């Protein structure tokens, strides 16, 4: 029997430019707002958006009056396995993070610990309204670790890309190859669709949602990509080999660039002929204008991680404005929960504040008043939804509330004093919301959070496993 859900009476922000309410609100129409709107979901897919839609006899009705109904948020870069060690490195820069985490506590993680951390980490994201995630899984010491990581993602019910990373088996090689187990993982768990070179993932509905990201390889809610060390963290020869391996497997590539202490990453990729639309560049703060132009010309994408960028000395300002002014497809990421939070509301706020500070810095240095500020809160929401979907190559499936797309939906309660405002409800969301304000989350039409609580027995199980992992790690911590 067909399953139908009708979300009624909320302020619906579709992020689909073709679905405005037609009431003359220029800002709302530009983002496809439907005040007092309804969203019909059937069999996991959005089928209709409007006002005054009628439920059928077996329709499950979700009352969204006083709430904001938005596309599920999309985190394009997070080390999800760190779910059990949140807050482990709150006062460390990137310099200290390596020995403390990458060659420290990560090596103490058994496959069972990776599973527990990933399951809990994915639930942290879902609890915060994030329905799609780019999991940069770089603590995979063995095939068992890789399988455990993937199992945690799948059992959480989240959508996204599993970016297979290192370090791989222990090795004396200072520049080890990317784990060859990635081929086995692709063949066993991600057969078939996607060639890693997709571009323009629009759904043909005229909604302006096409992107330049890469959908990876896989079926169901998860796809696969490759988390490479990139030119900053391996030798030029090994980097060329790793890129060739990823492209042989048809997998999109994600690398860290433009952090303090690294230089010339993009020019090195150009020299070796490795630039392309299948590459996602994380951070990008310290890149030169020429390097940003090269990313734009090659069709690459950028992931902006404001909290870690500024807290961990990865850069003076996040790359937000410099990427957007070049029309580089960009999204937001939480990055490492060891040193930052677990939600995208904080990232939206910090990205906006940091970009306005950057844009105004020269005028302030001259003691001049600034008459206009750059970017809007709604630009941040776009980065956290449709932009993220484009980065991950999933804009034909998610990222906007568009009929025909998957029903990945987040409902935020605006009735609390800190969100019940006078102006634009999206501005209130970006300026003040947090995970506790997320009332309902659906992924593919299935409830992941309802009435403010995660749904399913796996949530309680995940908490217990996470605590067991924490207890064990405390006993062996280096």
């Amino acid at each position: 029997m067909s399953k139908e859900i009708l979300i009624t009476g909320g302020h619906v922000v579709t992020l689909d430019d073709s679905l405005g309410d037609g009431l003359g609100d220029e800002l709302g129409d530009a983002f496809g707002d439907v005040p007092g709107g309804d969203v019909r979901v059937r069999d996991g897919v959005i089928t209709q958006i409007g006002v005054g839609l009628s439920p059928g006899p077996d329709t499950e009705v979700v009352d969204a009056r006083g709430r904001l109904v938005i596309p599920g948020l999309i985190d394009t870069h997070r080390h999800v396995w760190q779910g059990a060690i949140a807050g482990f490195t709150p006062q460390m820069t990137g310099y200290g993070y390596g020995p403390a985490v990458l060659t420290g506590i990560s090596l103490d993680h058994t496959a069972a610990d990776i599973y527990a951390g990933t399951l809990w980490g994915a639930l942290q994201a879902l609890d915060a309204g994030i329905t799609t995630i780019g999991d940069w899984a770089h603590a995979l010491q063995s095939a068992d670790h890789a399988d455990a990581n993937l199992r945690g993602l799948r059992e959480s019910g989240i959508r996204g890309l599993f970016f297979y990373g290192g370090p791989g088996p222990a090795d004396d090689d200072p520049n080890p190859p990317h784990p060859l187990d990635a081929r086995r993982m692709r063949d066993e768990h991600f057969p078939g669709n996607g060639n890693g070179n997709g571009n323009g993932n629009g759904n043909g509905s005229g909604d302006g949602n096409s992107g330049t990201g890469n959908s990876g390889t896989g079926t169901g809610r998860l796809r696969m990509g490759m988390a490479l060390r990139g030119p900053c963290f391996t030798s030029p020869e090994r980097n060329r080999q790793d890129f060739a391996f990823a492209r042989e497997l048809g997998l999109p590539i994600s690398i860290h660039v433009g952090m303090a202490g690294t230089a010339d990453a993009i020019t090195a990729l150009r020299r070796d002929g490795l630039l392309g639309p299948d590459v996602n560049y994380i951070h990008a703060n310290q890149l030169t204008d020429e390097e940003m132009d090269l990313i734009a010309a090659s069709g690459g994408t950028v992931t902006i991680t404001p909290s870690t960028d500024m807290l961990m000395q990865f850069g003076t300002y996040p790359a937000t404005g410099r990427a957007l002014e070049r029309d580089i497809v960009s999204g937001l990421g939480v990055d490492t929960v060891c040193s930052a939070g677990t939600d995208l509301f904080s990232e939206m706020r910090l990205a906006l504040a940091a970009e306005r500070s950057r844009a105004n810095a020269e005028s302030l240095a001259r003691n001049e008043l600034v008459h206009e500020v750059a970017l809007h809160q709604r630009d941040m929401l776009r980065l956290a939804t449709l932009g993220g979907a484009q980065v991950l190559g999933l804009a034909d499936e998610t990222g906007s509330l568009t009929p025909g797309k998957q029903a990945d939906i987040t409902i935020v309660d605006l009735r609390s004093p800190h969100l019940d405002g006078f102006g634009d409800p999206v501005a209130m969301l970006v300026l003040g919301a947090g995970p506790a304000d997320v009332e309902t989350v659906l992924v593919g039409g299935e409830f992941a959070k309802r009435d403010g609580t995660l749904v399913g027995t796996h949530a309680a199980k995940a908490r217990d496993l996470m605590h067991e992992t924490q207890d064990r790690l405390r006993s062996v911590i280096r």
Side-chain angles (χ1 to χ4, degrees):
M1 180 180 296
S2 176
K3 178 182 178 183
E4 182 172 282
I5 299 170
L6 186 63
I7 300 168
T8 64
H11 187 107
V12 180
V13 181
T14 69
L15 272 295
D16 184 331
D17 299 344
S18 70
L19 294 176
D21 60 17
L23 298 180
D25 181 345
E26 181 179 348
L27 184 61
D29 281 351
F31 281 78
D33 281 22
V34 185
D38 308 329
V39 180
R40 191 187 306 277
V41 174
R42 184 175 292 120
D43 296 332
V45 175
I46 298 169
T47 60
Q48 190 178 10
I49 294 175
V51 177
L53 303 182
S54 299
D58 299 312
T59 300
E60 183 171 5
V61 176
V62 176
D63 185 357
R65 289 174 295 178
R67 284 86 163 175
L68 197 65
V69 183
I70 62 174
L73 301 176
I74 297 175
D75 180 346
T76 60
H77 178 71
R78 184 191 298 225
H79 306 297
V80 185
W81 66 270
Q82 296 177 355
I85 56 171
F88 177 57
T89 55
Q91 288 186 285
M92 286 187 180
T93 67
Y95 180 80
Y97 171 83
V101 178
L102 301 182
T103 57
I105 200 170
S106 72
L107 300 182
D108 293 321
H109 274 63
T110 66
D113 295 330
I114 291 292
Y115 165 70
T118 302
L119 177 58
W120 185 250
L123 291 174
Q124 286 175 333
L126 288 165
D127 185 60
I130 296 166
T131 57
T132 300
I133 205 161
D135 179 15
W136 220 86
H138 64 341
L140 307 181
Q141 304 173 54
S142 70
D144 288 342
H145 285 72
D147 288 340
N149 191 300
L150 180 59
R151 184 160 64 96
L153 289 177
R154 281 186 168 157
E155 291 185 9
S156 75
I158 205 163
R159 191 183 308 282
L161 262 71
F162 164 72
F163 287 102
Y164 196 124
D171 197 310
D172 293 332
D173 187 343
N175 297 300
H178 192 279
L180 299 180
D181 181 61
R183 184 187 301 277
R184 189 248 345 149
M185 178 67 77
R186 185 205 63 169
D187 293 345
E188 287 186 10
H189 298 289
F190 298 92
N193 63 330
N195 60 11
N197 293 302
N199 57 69
N201 288 299
N203 59 12
S205 64
D207 57 14
N209 290 338
S210 61
T212 58
N214 307 282
S215 62
T217 298
T219 56
R221 292 182 184 172
L222 296 176
R223 305 286 191 272
M224 182 175 172
M226 202 79 97
L228 299 186
R229 294 176 176 88
C232 297
F233 301 102
T234 192
S235 67
E237 180 182 8
R238 184 65 75 194
N239 185 58
R240 290 190 293 270
Q241 293 170 352
D242 287 347
F243 264 69
F245 182 41
R247 285 169 171 163
E248 176 197 345
L249 296 182
L251 299 177
I253 295 165
S254 182
I255 59 174
H256 292 75
V257 300
M259 300 178 291
T262 67
D264 302 323
I266 307 304
T267 52
L269 293 176
R270 177 182 61 178
R271 177 197 66 212
D272 292 336
L274 299 178
L275 296 170
D278 57 343
V279 186
N280 170 241
Y281 304 92
I282 305 153
H283 301 305
N285 309 302
Q286 303 292 99
L287 297 182
T288 66
D289 286 343
E290 179 189 14
E291 288 179 304
M292 294 295 283
D293 291 341
L294 287 171
I295 292 176
S298 65
T301 64
V302 165
T303 287
I304 303 155
T305 60
S307 289
T308 56
D309 291 342
M310 301 183 75
L311 290 171
M312 298 180 69
Q313 195 241 337
F314 289 158
T316 303
Y317 291 111
T320 314
R322 297 176 67 222
L324 293 183
E325 67 190 13
R326 291 170 169 81
D327 293 324
I328 297 173
V329 171
S330 302
L332 295 176
V334 165
D335 196 4
T336 171
V337 300
C338 292
S339 302
T342 63
D343 69 274
L344 285 181
F345 301 109
S346 301
E347 304 305 325
M348 286 190 275
R349 275 191 289 278
L350 189 52
L352 181 62
E355 177 52 28
R356 287 187 179 177
S357 178
R358 184 193 73 88
N360 298 335
E362 291 186 8
S363 295
L364 291 172
R366 296 190 297 267
N367 198 31
E368 296 175 356
L369 292 175
V370 175
H371 296 276
E372 295 181 357
V373 292
L375 299 181
H376 190 278
Q377 285 80 0
R378 285 177 174 252
D379 295 314
M380 300 302 101
L381 181 60
R382 184 177 286 271
L383 284 174
T385 53
L386 184 56
Q390 292 170 335
V391 166
L392 296 179
L394 299 175
D396 57 343
E397 297 180 35
T398 189
S400 67
L401 302 182
T402 299
K405 287 193 178 185
Q406 292 292 307
D408 295 352
I409 302 171
T410 292
I411 302 176
V412 180
D413 192 345
L414 297 180
R415 297 173 298 170
S416 298
H418 64 289
L419 294 180
D420 194 351
F422 179 75
D424 179 18
V426 173
M428 295 302 298
L429 173 92
V430 173
L431 292 173
D437 300 305
V438 175
E439 184 177 76
T440 302
V441 177
L442 293 98
V443 185
E446 296 182 358
F447 288 96
K449 186 177 184 180
R450 190 162 194 175
D451 298 325
T453 303
L454 289 169
V455 172
T457 57
H458 63 294
K461 164 191 168 185
R463 183 186 297 274
D464 291 341
L465 290 175
M466 177 269 293
H467 284 151
E468 289 176 11
T469 285
Q470 289 181 339
D471 291 342
R472 200 193 67 76
L473 289 173
R474 287 189 181 101
S475 70
V476 299
I477 194 166
R478 296 165 185 266

